[in-house]
């Protein structure tokens, strides 16, 4: 049985892309728990092909929990540590395919493999051979059969309609559940029929949070909506549309962002500004390289009540294929934030807005304001208020109606609230629910009920 994110509670996911297990564990304790993140998403934990590219993780050769990111024991201990810090763990599960190397070899943990033979796990009969395009690769995304029966970049495509393959995949997921994990991001879900995923999930030993990767493509026959019966679905239009709005349109257009733009139902949408694929392969999206505007876009995502947000956390790269900082044997090094790793989830604006999301959970939007262009503001009714000024000029001396109880609130965009003190500016809401403040160009102010002095 699968369930979506539980109502209420802390729902923000931090995607610690390619972090090793000891580093994930210490981040849960030092930062993710204290800042209010509800989940950490980790990169694929199973044995994979060797190499220093990040994408070796997406080429499984066995389901041993042993990878460049750590051993089974380190993984188990990471899960326990994160949960003790109040952070649930979501695993990126690669279940559509195995490796794509034309020649076999030896995996990270020592398992030998051939392209369609993974001894003791899968044999040639367990894979699809679609008989198209000369090499069985997917070419035409307008053809449902091809997308679900041919190979994604030569990756050996599992026959997910077969009872044996389903049971083997469920055994892998159940092993992860036995190690305590709380949910799965199902990689390449679009390449598996929704009914196959439903069958695999029906074999799970307990409920788990499910998010499926189904990349929206205009006019394509396979649609994200087909998968909502299984759990949440990544809404790829969100980050693309938001980037366009920030780069070349108007923030004023965001007043009905989400379902009003034709995106998935809010209760099923998993949203993000960028992920590990789009930051590399989709020139349009905002990424850590956009710095202040990236922080503002994340602040909007965390303030706006649509979908379940994921905050991306990247390592620094210039070459698309380059793996994370690692030792001479391609073992991933411990994370050093701001030195080879971007750690967007720690940026003060982003980390503090997680607290805003938690404080305003379950409330709607009211008091929308826009100037027709790049200045917007809105309340999360009774609990919070944000104004974002993405104009090239400061907006000074304006008054904002928040509807919040009178009081002194920490501006969490410029200060951190802790132990009842604010390290930045304090915003005073008067008895009628108004405050007056200056907002610099490309900046914001945000206040909420859990950061009130
Ligand atoms: C995904 N979602 O559906 C992941 O989010 C994405 O990152 C994965 O691609 C993909 N599906 C497969 O799990 C990455 C990466 C590719 C890489 C594959 C497999 O973006 O570049 O492909 O993982 O490691 C690489 C080579 C490719 C080669 C393939 C097989 O780039 O040229 O194909 O390995 O050897 C011949």
């Amino acid at each position: 049985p699968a369930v979506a994110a539980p109502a209420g509670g802390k729902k923000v996911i931090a995607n610690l892309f390619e972090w090793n297990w000891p580093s994930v564990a210490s981040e849960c304790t030092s930062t993710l728990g204290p800042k209010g993140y509800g989940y950490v998403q980790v990169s694929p934990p199973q044995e994979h092909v060797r190499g220093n590219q990040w994408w070796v993780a997406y080429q499984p050769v066995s389901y041993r929990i042993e990878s460049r990111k750590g051993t089974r024991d380190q993984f188990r201990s990471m899960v326990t540590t994160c949960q003790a810090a109040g952070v649930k763990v979501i695993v990126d599960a690669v279940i559509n395919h195995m490796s794509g190397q034309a020649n076999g070899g030896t995996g990270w943990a020592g398992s030998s493999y051939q392209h369609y033979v993974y001894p003791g796990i899968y044999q040639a009969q367990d894979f699809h051979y679609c008989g198209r395009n000369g090499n069985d690769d997917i070419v035409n995304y307008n053809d449902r059969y091809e997308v679900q029966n041919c190979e994604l970049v030569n990756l050996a495509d599992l026959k997910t309609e077969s009872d044996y393959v389903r049971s083997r995949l469920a055994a892998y997921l159940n092993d992860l559940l036995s190690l305590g994990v709380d949910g799965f991001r199902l990689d390449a879900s679009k390449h598996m029929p929704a009914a196959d995923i439903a069958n695999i999930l029906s074999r799970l030993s307990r409920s788990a949070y499910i998010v499926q990767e189904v990349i929206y493509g205009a006019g394509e026959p396979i649609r994200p909506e087909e998968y909502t019966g299984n759990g949440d679905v990544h809404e790829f239009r969100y980050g693309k549309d938001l980037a366009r709005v920030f780069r070349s349109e108007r923030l004023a257009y965001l007043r009905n962002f989400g379902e009003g733009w034709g995106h998935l139902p809010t209760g099923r949408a998993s949203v993000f500004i960028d992920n590990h694929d789009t930051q590399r392969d989709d020139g349009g999206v905002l990424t850590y390289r956009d710095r202040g505007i990236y922080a503002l876009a994340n602040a909007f995502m965390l303030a706006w009540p649509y979908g379940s947000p994921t905050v991306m956390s990247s390592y620094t790269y210039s070459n698309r294929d380059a793996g994370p900082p690692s030792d001479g044997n391609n073992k991933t090094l411990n994370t050093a934030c701001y030195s080879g790793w971007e750690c967007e989830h720690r940026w003060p604006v982003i980390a503090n807005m997680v607290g805003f999301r938690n404080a305003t959970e379950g409330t709607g939007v009211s008091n929308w304001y826009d100037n027709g262009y790049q200045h917007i503001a809105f309340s999360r009714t009774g609990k919070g208020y944000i104004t974002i000024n993405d104009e090239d000029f400061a907006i000074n001396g304006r008054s904002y109606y928040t509807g919040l109880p009178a009081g002194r609130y920490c501006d969490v965009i410029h200060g951190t609230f802790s132990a009842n003190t604010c390290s930045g500016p304090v915003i005073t809401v008067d008895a009628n629910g108004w405050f007056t403040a200056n907002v610099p160009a490309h900046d914001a102010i945000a206040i909420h009920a859990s950061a009130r002095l």
Side-chain angles (χ1 to χ4, degrees), residues 200-260:
I200 293 159
L201 296 179
S202 76
R203 302 173 188 231
L204 296 188
S205 56
R206 60 178 166 79
S207 70
Y209 171 62
I210 298 299
V211 54
Q212 299 155 99
E213 191 220 18
V214 183
I215 302 176
Y216 171 86
E220 290 182 14
I222 304 170
R223 309 207 29 108
E225 289 81 359
E226 294 172 24
Y227 292 80
T228 54
N230 295 331
D232 283 3
V233 181
H234 288 322
E235 178 48 272
F236 279 81
R237 286 167 287 192
Y238 188 97
K240 264 185 191 301
D241 287 344
L242 201 57
R244 206 179 58 249
V245 166
F246 269 89
R247 286 193 198 285
S248 61
E249 294 181 350
R250 301 176 184 192
L251 267 56
Y253 295 167
L254 295 173
R255 67 182 310 149
N256 66 343
F257 196 56
E259 291 175 13

Side-chain angles (χ1 to χ4, degrees), residues 54-59 92 94 97 99-102 152-155 185 187-189 191 213 215 276-277 281 320-321:
W54 60 270
W55 43 251
V56 296
Y58 293 93
Q59 298 194 37
D92 192 349
V94 183
H97 53 258
S99 65
Q101 309 295 313
L152 177 63
V153 294
N154 205 42
L155 300 162
R185 173 221 185 234
D187 180 67
S189 292
H191 302 280
E213 191 220 18
I215 302 176
H276 71 280
D277 289 322
D281 298 336
R320 188 247 181 219
D321 294 331

Side-chain angles (χ1 to χ4, degrees), residues 284-295:
V285 304
L286 294 164
T287 73
Y288 71 82
R289 293 193 167 81
D290 295 288
R291 297 289 149 194
I293 295 303
Y294 184 71

